[in-house]
Amino acid sequence: MRRVEPGPGQESVWDYPRPPRAEAVRRRAVVTHGGTVVADTDDVVRVLETSHPPTWYLPRTAFAEGVLRPARRRTVCEWKGTARYVDIVVPGVEPLRDVGWWYPEDDVSSVYPELADRVALYPAPFDEITLDGERVEPQPGGFYGGWITADVVGPFKGSPGTWGW
């Protein structure tokens, strides 16, 4: 696959660093599921890593009361530390299992303190996630949690045949 040249106002994920970089930005993220606004905030941190669309972390306090439920799943990132997963529970709707992850203050790497107590979400299971009003598309493949918007170009890791990039 060939790198897509970014146009005006776009970034290529191939210009993102490795190891990843985390940066606080002012963009409005709105997460909706089952007709309920699950989270709404302009206090977001994006993580940029080579070949991936940004992964967006929202403060736990931005989520509606009671929608975040601890899940059993845990994973370890070589860069960020031990992630704990969450389910999203909206009354009257089937819960979304292991749909997000977060790094408790005690578990997050000292390299990424800005991620402590923030939640990242896989966008595919939700009714809608928007970033500054634009509907987010999920990163291909279901393994990664990147959010694709018009301001990022790929190709993106996650599609068939990209595992070894």
Side-chain angles (χ1 to χ4, degrees):
M1 292 192 170
R2 302 184 103 170
R3 176 186 191 270
V4 175
E5 281 300 313
Q10 291 182 317
E11 300 173 338
S12 170
V13 298
W14 291 96
D15 294 332
Y16 292 164
R18 186 159 177 86
R21 178 177 73 234
E23 59 186 30
V25 294
R26 285 286 176 200
R27 308 256 328 248
R28 183 167 181 217
V30 179
V31 180
T32 307
H33 186 66
T36 298
V37 174
V38 172
D40 185 348
T41 185
D42 68 353
D43 176 13
V44 293
V45 172
R46 68 182 191 154
V47 172
L48 309 175
E49 182 174 2
T50 307
S51 77
H52 298 273
T55 303
W56 296 84
Y57 287 78
L58 290 60
R60 289 172 57 87
T61 56
F63 287 80
E65 189 173 330
V67 301
L68 289 177
R69 298 278 172 85
R72 291 185 180 186
R73 184 174 181 203
R74 304 262 193 288
T75 59
V76 176
C77 171
E78 66 181 311
W79 311 109
K80 298 182 279 305
T82 301
R84 298 182 189 183
Y85 283 71
V86 295
D87 299 334
I88 298 291
V89 179
V90 173
V93 179
E94 188 71 27
L96 298 177
R97 305 275 184 214
D98 294 332
V99 74
W101 66 96
W102 65 291
Y103 297 93
E105 194 168 325
D106 295 344
D107 292 338
V108 72
S109 161
S110 61
V111 178
Y112 298 99
E114 58 273 269
L115 298 183
D117 291 329
R118 290 178 173 272
V119 176
L121 300 168
Y122 295 107
F126 290 90
D127 292 349
E128 182 176 70
I129 297 180
T130 61
L131 193 60
D132 291 338
E134 178 186 352
R135 186 184 185 104
V136 167
E137 295 297 324
Q139 182 171 2
F143 179 76
Y144 303 104
W147 295 9
I148 299 174
T149 55
D151 55 353
V152 294
V153 295
F156 305 111
K157 188 171 188 173
S159 297
T162 64
W163 186 258
W165 284 2

